[in-house]
Amino acid sequence: MSAVPIASFAQRLLTWFDQHGRHDLPWQHPRSAYRVWISEVMLQQTQVKTVIPYFEKFVARFPDVTTLAKAALDDVLLLWAGLGYYARARNLHRAAQQMLAQHGGELPQDFEALLQLPGIGRSTAGAILAQAHGARHAILDGNVKRVLARYAAVGEWPGHPRASLQLWEISESLLPPQRLADYTQAIMDLGASVCTRRVPACLRCPVSADCQAHIAQRVAEYPAPKPRRDRPLRLASALLIENAAGEILLERRPPAGIWGGLWCPPLLEENADAATMLRERYGLQLAALQTLPTLRHAFTHFELQLQPLRIQLVGIIHSVRDASSQRWVKLSDAPPALPTPIARLFQQLKMSTDQPCPEPFTA
Ligand code: SF4
């Protein structure tokens, strides 16, 4: 990297931000630590325009740490439905409970104390302290990684520990002495609106004069892509067990693993038999079975192919064993927090409720 005066990068960025940056995001008014925290966690995997309505609903329902900590996890997950990566919502809830128990219901102002909380990593802690308190902390979210990988021509994939270390050093070295809240927003805005992933607008960029990738005309090569590894495919069935009242059985997923804490129809591993599972696990007898079109859902480490099986039972089922982990829901009722593909499946089922189940299937 060439010797660029530190203030130069920050100063140009701040001047650009004053004119072109985003000054009316809902978490900027007011810019409290709580609101910055919620927005930062929502923005970890999601774009600003998607986050805004979720943020507004979330802080209206849970305006502070105490309200969030005392809320039922189901209510938190319900407001998160559609944003994906539900571990973020579970971590927000757990972190709020820790803040209530250990920090008087406030976000700690100490960097190390923030890092102890679930779901708060180095970049999120830095963003909270810089934006809410003007403290001198660097950030390195996805947008900033891309800007700095290009600006300093870091050739390795930013997820590699060596590249990550280098990018953190660069990010810290470029911090200005003042206006940390604005600077943090400015570098995120630059990544979101100018140094974009596909078509960076270098001609409009305030730091193009010493951007190493731009000077070398090799912008398209940065950041280096993640080394390719094919995601394995997992197969499973979703059992849409329907009782005589037309209700579907849902179970709460265990906290760890896919869709942790959300409500979901029972899942059946590949090659397992639905009739046997119904009999052995629930004491239920299958009357009819209908195969619905399969669904695909991509997780970070694998792809799931889900075969929905619509199942009718023999006799009337009156109760479930444990209301906190199982429940019958009517398709016409507002469902609890469901994983996105299951919510879509419920929508399709709702539209087809007029269609009868097929003739009894012999198990
Ligand atoms: Fe990104 Fe181009 Fe600006 Fe470099 S000059 S930081 S590549 S927009």
Side-chain angles (χ1 to χ4, degrees), residues 147 150-151 190 194-195 200-202 205 207-208 211 213-214 219:
V147 171
R150 288 171 176 167
Y151 179 70
L190 187 78
V194 175
C195 194
C202 300
C205 178
V207 297
S208 61
C211 170
H214 178 60
V219 173

Side-chain angles (χ1 to χ4, degrees), residues 113-354:
L114 275 174
L115 286 183
Q116 300 305 313
L117 295 165
I120 299 189
R122 186 173 169 184
S123 186
T124 304
I128 293 168
L129 295 178
Q131 293 199 280
H133 305 295
R136 203 162 178 275
H137 285 279
I139 64 161
L140 195 62
D141 67 4
N143 279 335
V144 178
K145 277 180 194 165
R146 182 173 60 252
V147 171
L148 298 183
R150 288 171 176 167
Y151 179 70
V154 174
E156 226 166 350
W157 170 56
H160 190 285
R162 203 167 34 217
S164 174
L165 198 66
Q166 193 183 353
L167 288 166
W168 270 112
E169 280 173 10
I170 296 165
S171 188
E172 280 174 344
S173 74
L174 295 172
L175 289 177
Q178 288 156 347
R179 295 190 64 191
L180 268 301
D182 285 345
Y183 174 82
T184 304
Q185 187 64 52
I187 196 161
M188 291 193 287
D189 285 359
L190 187 78
S193 63
V194 175
C195 194
T196 56
R197 199 150 55 94
R198 290 206 180 86
V199 194
C202 300
L203 296 179
R204 289 195 284 117
C205 178
V207 297
S208 61
D210 50 1
C211 170
Q212 299 304 299
H214 178 60
I215 291 168
Q217 298 191 346
R218 294 172 61 187
V219 173
E221 293 171 35
Y222 300 95
K226 185 179 181 178
R228 235 185 108 76
R229 210 186 314 149
D230 285 340
R231 269 189 297 216
L233 179 68
R234 287 196 203 164
L235 307 178
S237 302
L239 303 189
L240 300 162
I241 303 171
E242 203 172 330
N243 67 15
E247 297 165 323
I248 304 275
L249 180 66
L250 292 181
E251 292 186 335
R252 192 197 282 283
R253 302 279 310 154
I258 63 165
W259 299 328
L262 298 185
W263 290 89
C264 191
L267 298 185
L268 190 65
E269 292 301 316
E270 184 187 7
N271 298 330
D273 177 60
T276 309
M277 186 211 193
L278 283 174
R279 193 174 56 244
E280 292 182 353
R281 187 159 154 195
Y282 302 102
L284 302 175
Q285 202 182 337
L286 186 149
L289 182 147
Q290 181 186 18
T291 304
L292 302 177
T294 55
L295 307 168
R296 281 259 195 164
H297 190 71
F299 290 92
T300 318
H301 301 297
F302 65 95
E303 201 153 325
L304 181 67
Q305 181 170 303
L306 205 55
Q307 172 65 71
L309 299 175
R310 191 175 177 186
I311 287 169
Q312 284 191 329
L313 300 170
V314 173
I316 297 174
I317 311 302
H318 295 290
S319 62
V320 294
R321 286 174 303 180
D322 172 8
S324 67
S325 62
Q326 289 183 330
R327 58 165 82 161
W328 292 102
V329 295
K330 272 196 182 304
L331 287 172
S332 53
D333 291 346
L338 302 172
T340 305
I342 299 295
R344 228 178 288 132
L345 178 62
F346 266 54
Q347 273 300 327
Q348 288 164 8
L349 274 182
K350 210 164 148 184
M351 291 191 300
S352 67
T353 39
D354 294 341

